[in-house]
Amino acid sequence: MNIIVCIKQILDPEIPPAKFKVDTVAKKVVCPEGIPLVVSPYDEQAVEAALRIKESRSDAKLTALTLGGAGAKDAIKHVLSMGVDEGIIVNDDAFEGSDAFGTAYILSKAIEKLGDYGLVLCGRQAADWDAGQVGPVLAEYLGIPVVTVAKEVAAVDGKVTVKQVLADGYRVLHMAMPALVTVSSEIGQARLPSGKGIVMAARKQVTVWSSQDLGCDPGRIGSGAARAELAELFVPSQDRKSEIITGKDVAEAAGNLAGVLRREGAI
Amino acid sequence: MDDHRGVLVVGELGQSRLATVTRELLGAGRRLADELGEPLGLLLIGDAVSGCDTEASALGVDTLYVAEGPHLAAYNGDVYMEIAGTVAGETAAAVILMGHTTAGREMGPRLAARLGGSLFTDCVDLALDAARWLVATRPVYGGNAMAGFVSKTLPQIATVRPKAMPETAACTGKNMSTVAVSTDSTLSRIELSEVVVEEAAGPRIEDAGVVVAVGAGVRQEDFGLVCDLAQVLGGAVGGTRLPYEEGWIPASSQIGQTGKMITPDLYVAVGISGAPQHMAGCTGAKRIVAINNDPEAHIFKMADYGIVADYKEALPVLIEKIREMTGA
């Protein structure tokens, strides 16, 4: 059974907030120098979910798929070194500026070209734009059922069983394959690449497909097809007091804090 | 614009009434509908939803679309999608709003894919520009930045972050009409076998005036101290992802992007670094207090008051002082 995991390379969401800068004129986040891009953590967790399925059934073959330019190969190599079997990059100047719908369309064309698959896994959202759109839109374009925000995914025979995170617990859902699942952080930490994995990954060829290879409709890709426009991007103002309460020792500081809160009527 | 008209809210049900997020959506929806000079519709899907008509009418709904049946008791992605897609298509609403909830996170993108509209998820503000296109503001980059998008396509679909918009007070009530929606098409590829509720004892964090939250900086054996602080403050206990994943708080107590969005008067963060994924859930708090032993912790920038201290030293004193002050 083929499992396809869609991944995206993004600015490291764990960078210190002080290093996070926005160019409000260009409406872009400024990548701090010397900080390498990473695979979006939710996507790494989707890879982790796929690897766990592979451990449970010997016929599982994992293919990572990413849309991207120069850095895409690093993202693919990273997940190959985690244990993914194959990597595919879809890249074309014509893809530049595609929104979630354009991206999902391109990915759907690549998945259709791959053909035989049982399960498509995505992160619940990319940890840069946090939209969570590509996964469910991709499922619609592929005409397959979808469950989002999973904390556990099992694939037994032709069926996938998902534990979907709810605000007050979780629920268990079943779908016949092929199906798409988006994976949440509740699945737990993704494994690190192994030394052997890194060596294996270095030897693997990564397939690259262009828009023409996929037969994409030019009217559905790129910035021209975008359904909305980014009008502004800014760092929200922080109106908190950010006051550190001190004292000669911890006990006094704690006492002073209680005093401040009491005076303000908060306690 | 073309023949799209009106605002449609895809509602959810709470306990024998509209869910809080739906009441919030109706406030925003009514405002947008008035600006457009167009009607506001509400779609309710469920086992028994007609009981909500008085409430819907009081919140300014012009047309209530009811999809009712025992097979609709629990949210099913495929079945609900079919109904919402049909109603959205037939009414040709220009704006479609839903909560950024389990159902909304799935139905929003799927509806946009089917109807060919624009989509904005997890919105905290909605407005119209001069040409009456929807302008949606939403946090991006884990809340480090805010982005404002302008739609270029109809219909315009938005999922709205719970608690981001105020609930509106009931008005005098409109002359609401009710339309029954066919629920014949119930083909589902998704089968639900079990719902597991993991709820904490005591007050719910989304209702509590005071919430004390525990993060990765607290050791599990000290969890009792955090609970004691919550108890003297008459508050609820919540936490970040790690204590939930390690099983010492239930799912219903997790605060943040995946868990609850809360808006207490006082939020006390103990051993919490202030990662955006968590802070997304508590930025609506009136006052934020942080206790952390790392003076560089981001939480101090996000807090009103902080003490740089080992929680094991600070909490017992704080608990004692509050007891003295309040007699709790």
Side-chain angles (χ1 to χ4, degrees), chain B residues 142-166:
Chain B
N144 280 316
M146 298 292 276
F149 291 91
V150 183
S151 173
K152 298 200 291 187
T153 322
L154 293 168
Q156 312 165 99
I157 302 169
T159 70
V160 174
R161 176 177 285 199
K163 303 251 180 177
M165 294 179 191

Side-chain angles (χ1 to χ4, degrees), chain A residues 99-110:
Chain A
D99 66 4
F101 301 96
T103 302
Y105 170 69
I106 296 161
L107 295 175
S108 75
K109 296 297 277 184

Side-chain angles (χ1 to χ4, degrees), chain A residues 199-212:
Chain A
V199 173
M200 300 269 283
R203 288 197 201 127
K204 279 182 181 154
Q205 286 292 314
V206 179
T207 307
V208 182
W209 285 336
S210 68
S211 182
Q212 201 181 353

Side-chain angles (χ1 to χ4, degrees), chain B residues 240-282:
Chain B
T240 61
R241 208 186 71 209
L242 193 88
Y244 158 63
E245 276 172 7
E246 295 194 341
W248 33 299
I249 61 165
S252 65
S253 302
Q254 194 198 170
I255 298 156
Q257 235 168 33
T258 316
K260 296 279 172 63
M261 304 279 173
I262 59 166
T263 52
D265 291 330
L266 175 64
Y267 183 70
V268 185
V270 185
I272 290 176
S273 64
Q277 293 87 331
H278 170 71
M279 297 312 291
C282 64

